[in-house]
Amino acid sequence: MVTILPTIAQCQDWWQLLLGRQLLQQELPEDLQEFLQEPTWHSWWPELVVTNGIEQNNSGEWFCQRCLMPVAPSQQLATGALYCTACLALGRVSQHDQLVSLPVDQAMASANPLTWSGKLTAQQAQVANAILTQYCDNTVSAQLLWAVTGAGKTEMIFPIIAAALQGGQRVGLAAPRLDVCNELYPRLQQAFGKTSLILLHGQQHQPYYQAQLVVATTHQLIRFKQAFDLLIIDEVDSFPFAGNPMLANAVNKALKVGGRRLYLSATPPASLQRQSQQGKLPLHYLPRRFHGRNLPVPQILITASFKKKGFSNRVQQLFRYLLAEKRRWLVFVPQAAQLPRYQSAWQLAFPQIAVATVHAKDPQRLAKVAAFRANHGTVLFTTTILERGVTFNNIDVVILTADHQQFTASNLVQIAGRADRASGGPIGQVYFCCNFYTRAIQQACQQIKHLNHVSGGL
């Protein structure tokens, strides 16, 4: 018999923490861990589910019950217990550990949850209505929105989010990169001002609570179980989500039974395009930006990036031109390890103008991106970490060593899409600096021109 019953306040806190989630027992508050040690706790909380961290299937194979990835017999601790290496970054799961989860009940319906005062263009509204109609028909489990960079994908999903919230459903919006989540969160805060909303990623330390609308990195979905009626995956073609079976498992596990998915992308992977062509995945396509202008076609400069310790003459000429035009611009480089060299070259050529660099593991990454978005600084050197999901007004884009193997056609299209996203001001330009005109560069330019041609018929 349980000797010490939890208080009402404790029960409310535990419910908020666990509902729709699956956590390691050692991640739980100490008072909840103590409660679970009581021999008859289940009689007081029968909805709570406790499972072993690593379990065998009927074929004798071991699987992690958090990320659903296989666990090889060689993955052993010193004690001999198996543990999962796939989701190790979120805390070790072994045979000694238990996972605790709590199924979600129906959320509270929200009347008129959309507080956004903007208006969709005719093309955006047509696509948004098609997505919403398919969702309300409840005949398909997944849809794909394929829209060019700057088309306004976020605004086009407001109607489907509003419909789900109004129906008492729980909605998750996940993206592979935290920069994208940070971009989406304030926009959703403004658009759904009366709805509880939370942001989850590795550098966000807001205490978790049971929000009806969740913005999270795809890795955070690993901690959810049957939580969402609607799960929207943004930048579905982006690293680290694309081709990652663990994150695909996380999406499936985070959905309720009968829950539905909406994929968003400007450059959808071939696998989703094939599903669409086979009639298995409804496709909604918009090749035009919200302001109606064409995507900027890259200007190709055949030149080396460096000459000895500094920039090549052609690159210096380009930078001088942009400075004379009083432009602000992003400079994309293929590898983070090269950033100090680029910064030194800039200081050698333009010592009077400060320059910043940013990459995925930069501890000041979020602050630097926020500063540049707030118009502080003229130039920001970056890796592909800023290739998608972030918006800077009135900037140009330069790619140095665009022929590097790091840059695929998809990368190049996404990077080019950072330019000319604002409706006002001068038209943004894109420059590819390269030694060779590679197949990836050719494909990227062809795709951009094709999208401009198609959008001209709308």
Side-chain angles (χ1 to χ4, degrees):
M1 182 174 180
V2 176
T3 55
I4 302 177
L5 295 179
T7 65
I8 294 176
Q10 282 178 310
C11 290
Q12 290 175 335
D13 289 343
W14 298 348
W15 181 86
Q16 285 279 352
L17 176 69
L18 277 172
L19 198 63
R21 303 182 86 203
Q22 186 180 49
L23 302 178
L24 283 164
Q25 188 160 333
Q26 56 264 36
E27 292 179 300
L28 303 178
E30 288 187 8
D31 54 358
L32 178 51
Q33 292 187 48
E34 292 174 1
F35 173 75
L36 293 176
Q37 298 305 313
E38 297 285 353
T40 57
W41 68 263
H42 191 266
S43 64
W44 290 93
W45 202 354
E47 298 85 5
L48 205 63
V49 179
V50 178
T51 59
N52 295 322
I54 309 290
E55 289 190 349
Q56 270 183 311
N57 63 11
N58 294 333
S59 302
E61 299 171 302
W62 293 95
F63 281 83
C64 173
Q65 297 305 297
R66 180 171 67 178
C67 71
L68 306 181
M69 294 298 289
V71 177
S74 59
Q75 295 170 205
Q76 292 186 6
L77 300 172
T79 61
L82 298 178
Y83 74 102
C84 179
T85 58
C87 60
L88 192 58
L90 293 176
R92 190 182 68 197
V93 179
S94 77
Q95 287 176 300
H96 294 320
D97 299 313
Q98 290 186 313
L99 293 164
V100 181
S101 59
L102 181 63
V104 169
D105 53 9
Q106 192 74 355
M108 183 177 294
S110 176
N112 303 318
L114 186 60
T115 56
W116 182 57
S117 59
K119 185 177 180 180
L120 298 175
T121 67
Q123 290 80 21
Q124 287 176 325
Q126 184 178 5
V127 172
N129 288 336
I131 293 171
L132 181 58
T133 298
Q134 201 121 43
Y135 181 76
C136 293
D137 286 346
N138 198 20
T139 55
V140 295
S141 61
Q143 302 182 66
L144 169 62
L145 171 56
W146 180 356
V148 298
T149 58
K153 290 191 294 295
T154 303
E155 288 73 20
M156 282 188 279
I157 64 174
F158 286 170
I160 189 175
I161 293 175
L165 296 176
Q166 196 160 358
Q169 298 183 336
R170 197 177 188 207
V171 180
L173 204 165
R177 299 182 181 181
L178 62 88
D179 302 272
V180 179
C181 294
N182 286 339
E183 181 97 1
L184 290 169
Y185 181 69
R187 296 166 70 181
L188 290 170
Q189 269 186 319
Q190 185 177 26
F192 297 94
K194 297 183 290 185
T195 301
S196 57
L197 175 66
I198 192 169
L199 173 65
L200 302 174
H201 59 66
Q203 295 186 29
Q204 174 66 31
H205 304 297
Q206 177 184 3
Y208 180 83
Y209 71 96
Q210 172 67 11
Q212 195 169 356
L213 181 55
V214 176
V215 180
T217 55
T218 48
H219 271 87
Q220 291 294 322
L221 296 180
I222 295 172
R223 289 196 170 105
F224 286 89
K225 183 176 181 180
Q226 296 183 6
F228 301 106
D229 301 276
L230 171 63
L231 191 51
I232 301 170
I233 312 298
D234 197 7
E235 306 291 355
V236 70
D237 58 301
S238 175
F239 176 85
F241 183 80
N244 188 322
M246 179 183 73
L247 296 180
N249 289 340
V251 169
N252 294 331
K253 186 165 72 80
L255 275 171
K256 290 183 183 179
V257 175
R260 284 170 283 172
R261 289 161 288 172
L262 174 61
Y263 298 117
L264 312 180
S265 180
T267 50
S271 59
L272 292 184
Q273 294 187 45
R274 281 194 300 271
Q275 289 182 44
S276 175
Q277 292 164 0
Q278 295 166 358
K280 300 176 181 178
L281 180 68
L283 169 65
H284 311 278
Y285 183 56
L286 183 57
R288 169 173 285 186
R289 287 184 156 183
F290 78 96
H291 53 51
R293 293 200 296 265
N294 283 342
L295 297 166
V297 178
Q299 301 178 45
I300 310 299
L301 305 181
I302 304 298
T303 176
S305 295
F306 286 102
K307 185 177 181 181
K308 295 183 179 179
K309 293 184 178 181
F311 293 122
S312 66
N313 292 335
R314 193 84 184 274
V315 170
Q316 286 197 50
Q317 288 173 3
L318 172 60
F319 289 164
R320 289 195 187 99
Y321 165 75
L322 294 174
L323 288 171
E325 293 293 313
K326 297 183 179 180
R327 298 294 295 163
R328 301 176 70 242
W329 70 97
L330 288 171
V331 182
F332 285 84
V333 302
Q335 295 173 320
Q338 297 175 332
L339 283 171
R341 184 185 183 192
Y342 286 104
Q343 189 169 24
S344 297
W346 176 270
Q347 292 169 344
L348 184 65
F350 308 101
Q352 74 281 14
I353 301 173
V355 67
T357 66
V358 66
H359 56 88
K361 296 183 179 180
D362 188 336
Q364 297 181 324
R365 166 182 167 186
L366 300 181
K368 289 178 179 179
V369 172
F372 195 73
R373 184 181 287 116
N375 294 322
H376 298 305
T378 300
V379 184
L380 178 63
F381 281 76
T382 181
T383 59
T384 55
I385 193 65
L386 295 184
E387 75 177 23
R388 61 180 73 220
V390 291
T391 298
F392 304 99
N393 291 330
N394 299 318
I395 64 163
D396 295 327
V397 168
V398 177
I399 303 180
L400 297 182
T401 320
D403 51 341
H404 194 279
Q405 62 182 4
Q406 176 70 28
F407 295 120
T408 64
S410 176
N411 292 137
L412 295 172
V413 170
Q414 289 282 0
I415 292 171
R418 296 310 99 203
D420 198 38
R421 298 176 70 88
S423 57
I427 296 176
Q429 301 296 326
V430 179
Y431 304 89
F432 289 178
C433 300
C434 53
N435 287 291
F436 305 101
Y437 188 71
T438 62
R439 178 66 174 161
I441 292 174
Q442 181 187 35
Q443 289 176 334
C445 293
Q446 287 176 343
Q447 183 175 338
I448 291 170
K449 292 176 182 177
H450 172 72
L451 291 168
N452 287 340
H453 175 73
V454 172
S455 69
L458 292 179

